[in-house]
Amino acid sequence: MIAVGSPSSLARAGPDKVQQQENGPEITEELNRSQVSAGKHTQSRLPQYRLEGSGPLLVYISGLDGTGELFFKQAPALTRSYRVVTFRSRDSGRFSYDDLADDVAAIIRDAEEERATIVAESFGGGVALTFALRYPAMVERLVIVNSFARFRGRVKIKLGILFASAFPFWLTSVARKTSNEVALRADGVQSGDRRLFFKAISTVKREGYTQRLKLIPQLNLENRLVEINTPTLFIAGEKDMLVPSAREARLMAARMPNAQVRLIPSAGHACLLGDRVRLAEILTEWNRALD
């Protein structure tokens, strides 16, 4: 089953919100409620989300793109064992890591679950760590791919923010497409999957993308990692050209009481789109070891 929203939301939606097709149920109700207090930065929001599969809940938090669409290589195998949630991050407004973590909590509640396995990559890792600190009781397992608790390339990220803010977005898109093409090929991503990647990121909005960039220099959770007791797996590509993921994974795991590191030889930053990482198999192996 593929759903947008949740069973409880659909019950509230009414028949005009649900379309049944001969090839199976397709639920098209959109849930995206926002409440912004006047003059305040606080927001309450339930993002629209996609739900597939059966089993315990697994929520994927995307990287800097924020589309939620770049999990297509891993999701099919995971849906055999999990109810997999993908969702689009905020595209507009001022928001913080706390706001993004609150969005994840809203999804889990709306899916009528108390806990979920959280899988996050790159920028999403900071959101996942923030979520684990804000909502420890809602995290069953934590899986962080090619990420960091503090971004050490301060000059690089400041230049990225300047470039994204000062230049036309079409120009920055061209630059990103060129660098992404190199990175995807280095990770062995097939041509069809590269097309899906570029189709997804073509929908990225400048405002949300720039705001996510601006959050990165603010992230510094290193001294709080010891507070996260949830079983955590750090997955890192040894050939990551964007983030020194292997080093960051070791540093984070060393600060946490219940963390492990899985290094992927020859894999880069886009490893979830290539064939070197089979996340469903990794999680099955890890869960057996934990049990």
Side-chain angles (χ1 to χ4, degrees):
M1 183 184 79
I2 301 175
V4 177
S6 75
S8 60
S9 303
L10 295 169
R12 297 190 298 269
D16 60 324
K17 295 292 187 178
V18 181
Q19 297 178 351
Q20 296 287 343
Q21 297 184 355
E22 292 182 359
N23 61 350
E26 182 176 344
I27 301 169
T28 59
E29 192 222 356
E30 292 187 1
L31 292 170
N32 191 341
R33 298 188 290 274
S34 297
Q35 295 179 339
V36 183
S37 302
K40 295 182 180 181
H41 181 47
T42 57
Q43 299 184 359
S44 174
R45 176 180 180 272
L46 172 64
Q48 180 182 337
Y49 62 92
R50 182 183 180 92
L51 181 64
E52 298 180 79
S54 60
L57 197 66
L58 182 150
V59 179
Y60 167 70
I61 305 176
S62 62
L64 194 60
D65 65 286
T67 65
E69 297 292 330
L70 300 183
F71 206 46
F72 61 83
K73 194 79 171 181
Q74 307 295 333
L78 287 166
T79 57
R80 301 183 192 123
S81 303
Y82 296 93
R83 296 165 68 212
V84 177
V85 168
T86 55
F87 67 98
R88 191 177 185 93
S89 186
R90 301 187 185 208
D91 277 328
S92 60
R94 293 178 59 238
F95 50 83
S96 65
Y97 277 106
D98 287 349
D99 293 327
L100 299 179
D102 292 347
D103 290 349
V104 176
I107 290 172
I108 294 172
R109 292 190 189 105
D110 193 71
E112 300 183 333
E113 295 286 353
E114 296 181 356
R115 302 164 68 84
T117 292
I118 307 297
V119 176
E121 66 172 324
S122 192
F123 170 86
V127 180
L129 293 170
T130 302
F131 176 77
L133 289 165
R134 285 174 69 80
Y135 301 96
M138 297 183 78
V139 188
E140 183 69 32
R141 299 278 194 273
L142 194 58
V143 182
I144 309 290
V145 184
N146 288 340
S147 192
F148 45 85
R150 176 176 177 268
F151 193 80
R152 300 173 205 286
R154 315 303 279 185
V155 173
K156 182 191 297 186
I157 195 63
K158 286 180 180 178
L159 287 174
I161 293 168
L162 176 64
F163 194 59
S165 303
F167 292 92
F169 199 54
W170 67 264
L171 181 60
T172 64
S173 297
V174 170
R176 291 198 307 275
K177 183 174 182 179
T178 301
S179 61
N180 284 330
E181 182 71 35
V182 173
L184 292 172
R185 287 178 180 272
D187 256 320
V189 179
Q190 300 299 314
S191 59
D193 292 335
R194 294 201 301 274
R195 284 193 294 271
L196 290 174
F197 171 88
F198 287 116
K199 181 180 179 181
I201 66 168
S202 70
T203 68
V204 174
K205 302 292 192 295
R206 176 177 188 160
E207 186 176 356
Y209 177 82
T210 304
Q211 179 62 20
R212 285 189 287 276
L213 273 177
K214 289 179 178 179
L215 290 181
I216 293 175
Q218 302 173 24
L219 184 72
N220 188 354
L221 298 176
E222 287 183 321
N223 292 333
R224 297 198 62 194
L225 293 177
V226 67
E227 300 173 35
I228 300 176
N229 293 308
T230 303
T232 301
L233 179 64
F234 291 104
I235 299 174
E238 291 187 330
K239 299 296 183 181
D240 192 338
M241 295 185 292
L242 185 61
V243 176
S245 298
R247 184 185 70 181
E248 293 296 334
R250 292 190 186 99
L251 289 173
M252 287 187 286
R255 291 174 176 263
M256 296 171 66
N258 198 9
Q260 300 177 33
V261 175
R262 176 77 173 260
L263 300 181
I264 311 298
S266 302
H269 199 69
C271 63
L272 293 185
L273 293 172
D275 295 323
R276 298 185 180 102
V277 174
R278 296 179 180 177
L279 194 55
E281 295 178 8
I282 291 174
L283 294 192
T284 297
E285 179 184 329
W286 180 46
N287 285 327
R288 284 176 180 167
L290 289 175
D291 294 339

